[in-house]
């Protein structure tokens, strides 16, 4: 236990120093200064051992051109520690097997001088490469990326003889990023098969001819994305959890058992207190070995629950245990994966982005933004795993007041027909209408529902009339998409009281649907009185918006809120089930 205390002390000091460094950097900002000024004032110059080389033209050795706060901390990590077998790591540069041999020869032809050694910014460029290998490996990239990282971690990286290793890793990163750029929107959000991405690289001779030391750094920066405060926060947390993983002698699982609440005594309480202290260094407990749930532990537990989307009741149940037992390395993977999602999302942001709606599916949350400022949030209900809400980007073009619900064929077959076989009156009770495919109404009493199968073709279209009990409620928010999904109101508001809200068949139910309708209609020039008259009339009415509002169905299982607080959510659609090569 003494070893654990010493480890915790060292970890706490390390994280505290890093946190203070970031805080000091942020504090340097004036009230109207851009975030980028953090790096101009907080970064330090790190030069190579070879000080005799002149600086690169156009890349002066000034703080604003150096890497950001915390970049250098990576060199203190020996991670991944099990990515390669010992036999796969070579200790002599001449034994390294070059992967991109032809491209390496071309680069040497055009650039006989070293790209990775012998000039003031070379060490920072190598550090940047190392960071990108770490982030992409943790995010689930191909095993070759973590192999390169392990090899780099095993060598004296100040030795110029390792030029070919760094060039190979750089070309591999370029190949991976080229493949990422081919992903569509849904693939960019899911990231569920990037482990098998082939590292095939397409570059032309003019690019090789113009490659320079300065371009090398810029290429890495473009692969990395903007180095802003949010990325630094992600990196801080990635490093924190990798260090926690290394500090632990073994992964002790907190067993399930009776619910634990204030004043409960249990052998698991010291382990719970330890995990809470790892999660937030602000959680300092007078006695880690106390086996009673005291007020400090319950208070820390409530904060922990809130950050994981759980009911903050201070009671340890199965959902809380899930997150207390979540492996530190898997938190690092989650953070890296979501950092990559955020970077890829930028490619799909629409030009009409003054106002936009973000629906974060695993968070069960919708956010309405106006020029990056939050206007309001709402709870939402999303699709269950078997009928997942599709990840897409579109634009809301109309608000439908008193909508019909055109029942999807899947719901008709799987949900409604079995009920109709038991009770044919269900059609009239739920105010459904039936039509043949010529558009003619079909009375439900003419159909023998006992003969209708819930598989194969169903010969009718079914819709539900507007009004009480309509599944869409009073509003539907229409946006074009191939999946026939939309945002809408609901006749089952009780589901919003649940913490986990994956209940729908794909569409997104919005708790604040009335407020969303008010906001969109007001922008389009419609009055509240106009809306109320339409609702009272009871007839369906499509109200077009003068300016479409972009809507993004995103998939972030971790994110920072406006105050810098970090949140985690379950991967409800199991997109990350294929672990990367850093899986523990």
């Amino acid at each position: 236990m003494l070893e654990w205390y010493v480890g915790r002390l060292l970890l706490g000091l390390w994280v505290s120093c890093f946190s203070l460094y970031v805080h000091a950097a942020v504090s340097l900002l004036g009230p109207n200064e851009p975030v980028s000024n953090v790096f101009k004032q907080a970064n330090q110059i790190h030069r190579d051992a070879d000080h005799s080389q002149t600086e690169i033209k156009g890349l002066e050795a000034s703080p604003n051109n150096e890497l950001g706060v915390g970049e250098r901390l990576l060199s203190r990590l020996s991670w991944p520690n099990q990515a390669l077998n010992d036999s796969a790591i070579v200790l002599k540069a001449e034994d390294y097997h070059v992967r991109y041999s032809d491209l390496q020869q071309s680069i040497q032809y055009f650039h006989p001088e070293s790209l990775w050694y012998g000039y003031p910014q070379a060490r920072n460029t190598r550090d940047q490469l190392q960071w990108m290998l770490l982030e992409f490996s943790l995010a689930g990239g191909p095993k070759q990326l973590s192999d390169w990282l392990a090899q780099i971690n095993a060598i004296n990286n100040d030795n110029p003889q390792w030029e070919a290793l760094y060039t190979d890793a750089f070309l591999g990163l370029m190949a991976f990023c080229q493949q990422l750029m081919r992903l569509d929107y849904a693939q960019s959000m899911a990231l569920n098969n990037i482990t098998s991405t082939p590292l095939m690289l397409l570059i032309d001779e003019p690019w090789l001819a113009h490659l320079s030391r300065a371009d090398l750094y810029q290429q890495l920066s473009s692969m990395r994305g903007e180095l802003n405060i949010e990325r630094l926060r992600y990196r801080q947390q990635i490093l924190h959890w990798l260090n926690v993983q290394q500090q632990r002698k073994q992964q002790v699982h907190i067993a399930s058992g009776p619910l634990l609440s204030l004043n409960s005594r249990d052998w698991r309480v010291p382990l719970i207190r330890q995990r809470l202290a790892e999660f937030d260094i602000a959680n300092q407990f007078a006695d880690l070995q106390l086996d009673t749930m005291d007020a400090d532990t319950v208070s820390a537990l409530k904060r922990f629950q809130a950050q994981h989307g759980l009911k903050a009741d201070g009671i340890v149940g199965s959902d809380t245990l899930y997150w207390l037992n979540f492996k530190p390395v898997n938190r690092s993977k989650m953070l890296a994966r979501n950092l990559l999602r955020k970077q890829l999302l930028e490619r799909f942001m629409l030009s009409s982005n003054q106002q936009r709606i973000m629906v974060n599916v695993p968070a069960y949350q919708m956010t309405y933004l106006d020029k990056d400022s939050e206007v309001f949030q709402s709870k939402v209900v999303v699709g269950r795993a078997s009928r997942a809400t599709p990840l897409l980007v579109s634009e809301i073009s109309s608000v439908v007041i008193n909508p019909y619900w055109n029942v999807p064929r899947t719901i008709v077959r799987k949900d409604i027909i079995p009920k109709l076989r038991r009770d044919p009156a269900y059609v009239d009770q739920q105010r459904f209408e039936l039509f043949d495919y010529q558009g003619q109404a079909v009375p439900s009493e003419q159909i023998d529902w006992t003969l209708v199968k819930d598989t194969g073709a169903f010969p009718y279209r079914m819709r539900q009339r507007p009004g009480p009990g309509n599944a869409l409620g009073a509003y539907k928010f229409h946006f074009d998409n191939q999946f026939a999904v939309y945002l809408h109101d609901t006749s089952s508001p009780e589901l919003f009281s649940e913490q986990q809200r994956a209940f729908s068949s794909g569409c997104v139910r919005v708790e604040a649907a009335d407020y969303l309708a008010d906001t969109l209609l007001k922008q389009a020039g419609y009055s509240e009185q106009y809306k109320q008259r339409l609702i009272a009339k009871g007839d369906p009415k499509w109200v077009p918006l003068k300016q479409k509002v972009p809507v993004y169905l995103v998939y972030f299982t971790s994110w920072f809120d406006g105050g810098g607080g970090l949140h985690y959510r379950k991967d409800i659609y199991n997109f990350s089930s294929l672990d990367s090569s850093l899986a523990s």
Side-chain angles (χ1 to χ4, degrees), residues 85-154:
N85 296 326
D86 291 340
S87 60
I89 292 179
V90 297
L91 300 179
K92 295 181 180 179
E94 57 266 28
D95 295 332
Y96 173 70
H97 177 71
V98 177
R99 181 184 177 99
Y100 298 102
S101 56
D102 291 342
L103 286 174
Q104 292 245 21
Q105 291 176 10
S106 297
I107 289 173
Q108 290 172 9
Y109 173 80
F110 287 111
H111 307 283
E113 80 280 9
S114 172
L115 290 173
W116 300 99
Y117 296 92
Y119 59 98
Q121 289 80 22
R123 178 58 187 272
N124 285 325
T125 304
R126 297 199 302 273
D127 284 350
Q128 177 76 324
L129 176 76
Q130 200 174 352
W131 259 112
M132 297 314 302
L133 289 171
L134 177 67
E135 288 184 9
F136 287 155
S137 296
L138 287 169
K143 181 179 182 297
Q144 182 61 56
L145 299 181
S146 57
D147 287 350
W148 277 315
L149 179 60
Q151 180 63 63
I152 289 172
N153 284 343

Side-chain angles (χ1 to χ4, degrees), residues 246-262:
Q246 291 178 334
Q247 290 286 333
R248 288 188 186 176
K249 299 300 182 184
Q250 58 182 345
Q251 176 70 29
V252 179
H253 186 81
I254 305 176
S256 58
L259 296 178
L260 301 177
S261 58
L262 182 64

Side-chain angles (χ1 to χ4, degrees), residues 208-243:
L208 285 171
H210 288 90
L211 182 64
S212 69
R213 290 169 168 176
D215 290 336
L216 193 69
Y217 182 86
Q218 295 304 319
Q219 287 282 339
L220 286 166
S221 297
S222 65
M223 286 189 271
R224 174 200 65 202
E226 183 183 1
L227 186 59
N228 53 23
I229 290 295
E230 185 174 51
R231 178 172 286 272
L232 291 178
R233 286 171 173 158
Y234 269 104
R235 286 185 167 183
Q236 177 192 7
Q237 288 295 317
I238 288 171
L239 287 177
H240 168 70
W241 288 114
L242 291 181
N243 273 273

Side-chain angles (χ1 to χ4, degrees), residues 13 25 50 193 267-268 288 308 325 364 386 393 410 429 445 449 455 468 485 525 533 553 562 570:
L13 287 172
D50 185 356
N193 54 11
W267 66 270
R268 297 170 294 166
L288 278 171
H308 292 83
N325 282 317
Y364 313 113
S386 60
V393 56
T410 299
Q429 293 169 3
E445 56 269 18
W449 293 103
T455 58
V485 299
R533 285 198 301 271
L553 304 188
K570 281 188 177 181

